[in-house]
Amino acid sequence: MEQALVTIPLTKLAIAFIPVVLVLLILARWSLPQKRTLHALVRMLVQLLLVGYALSYLFASDNAWIIGSLLLVMVLFSTYIALNNIESPQKSLFSSAFLAIFISSFIVLFVITQGVLHLEPWHQAKTLVPLAGMVFANGMNSVSLCGERFYAELNRGEPYQKSRNIAFKASMIPNVNALFAVGIVSLPGMMTGQILAGVSPFIAARYQIMVMCMVFASAGLASAIFLVLNKAKPQ
């Protein structure tokens, strides 16, 4: 008998922070910086609580302009976050990072929503927004990883082509590892969520295959576009 997904009371949700506190205690005990971690945890909590209310409105909306504007804002924020860890001699990498995430995400989302899911209308928020979030997040992480490694190699005196190849390979490590581990070491988010919601594991597996292709491609394309766009810029 399938079990319905239970609603988690806020009092029970607080229990999930117990192991989080343990990690914070380790940081304090080892005299490691805690400010950024605490900031990230608070932002996560506030953002997810707020987004629950916002998505209820967005999912009920049939306005393509509202959905398109939301996607643009998501790309802008993912670009800003991606550049936080990149130490570059250039004044700004925003345009190349933005284009890398935007172009790669557009390609992947178009293929998935129109080729695989035949989403109608294209701006159906309940499907498009969660998928876009996965794609933007992977593009963001890949640009951050490849950018940091790319400029580290350039600062060591390596030529562009070697720096590019090393950076691209490094940025793809998390996604390649995920491909090896999926189904054996881990059951990723979408598949786990669907199984908890009572969907057949066979159906959930198909959706997860789609997602794995989607995030792998978005990461690789975003890294490649970012590195190519920065080829002609003075170092």
Side-chain angles (χ1 to χ4, degrees):
M1 181 177 179
E2 295 182 352
Q3 183 178 357
L5 196 63
V6 298
T7 301
I8 303 175
L10 291 177
T11 52
K12 296 291 186 181
L13 183 61
I15 297 174
F17 283 87
I18 292 176
V20 173
V21 172
L22 294 178
V23 176
L24 293 175
L25 290 174
I26 292 171
L27 289 172
R29 178 64 178 171
W30 291 358
S31 301
L32 295 172
Q34 305 168 56
K35 184 177 179 180
R36 181 174 171 82
T37 303
L38 286 170
H39 182 208
L41 286 168
V42 172
R43 278 191 57 172
M44 175 275 294
L45 182 61
V46 173
Q47 288 168 183
L48 287 179
L49 288 175
L50 290 177
V51 80
Y53 292 101
L55 288 179
S56 298
Y57 166 76
L58 288 169
F59 287 171
S61 173
D62 193 36
N63 191 314
W65 289 103
I66 293 177
I67 305 304
S69 298
L70 171 66
L71 297 181
L72 180 60
V73 169
M74 291 169 70
V75 175
L76 290 170
F77 270 96
S78 62
T79 302
Y80 171 76
I81 296 170
L83 296 177
N84 278 345
N85 296 318
I86 300 178
E87 295 183 5
S88 165
Q90 299 172 24
K91 292 182 179 180
S92 175
L93 294 173
F94 193 88
S95 60
S96 57
F98 175 83
L99 288 173
I101 297 173
F102 180 84
I103 295 172
S104 62
S105 299
F106 177 83
I107 293 171
V108 172
L109 286 173
F110 180 81
V111 171
I112 296 299
T113 61
Q114 302 306 310
V116 179
L117 300 177
H118 300 287
L119 201 62
E120 184 64 36
W122 68 266
H123 56 273
Q124 187 183 111
K126 192 172 183 179
T127 301
L128 180 60
V129 172
L131 293 181
M134 295 180 198
V135 171
F136 297 156
N138 276 273
M140 173 189 73
N141 290 332
S142 292
V143 166
S144 187
L145 288 171
C146 80
E148 191 280 331
R149 187 60 182 270
F150 178 63
Y151 285 103
E153 294 299 324
L154 288 178
N155 290 336
R156 291 176 56 239
E158 298 292 351
Y160 165 79
Q161 185 170 343
K162 184 175 181 180
S163 299
R164 178 201 66 190
N165 292 351
I166 292 174
F168 184 80
K169 182 179 179 181
S171 72
M172 294 303 294
I173 288 174
N175 292 281
V176 173
N177 286 348
L179 295 179
F180 279 117
V182 65
I184 299 176
V185 178
S186 66
L187 289 179
M190 173 171 275
M191 187 171 182
T192 300
Q194 288 183 317
I195 291 174
L196 288 174
V199 175
S200 164
F202 296 104
I203 302 300
R206 295 183 187 182
Y207 275 89
Q208 191 59 54
I209 291 170
M210 178 193 76
V211 169
M212 296 305 293
C213 292
M214 184 176 70
V215 298
F216 177 83
S218 63
L221 289 173
S223 294
I225 294 170
F226 177 81
L227 292 168
V228 169
L229 288 175
N230 283 281
K231 177 180 180 180
K233 293 183 178 182
Q235 310 301 335

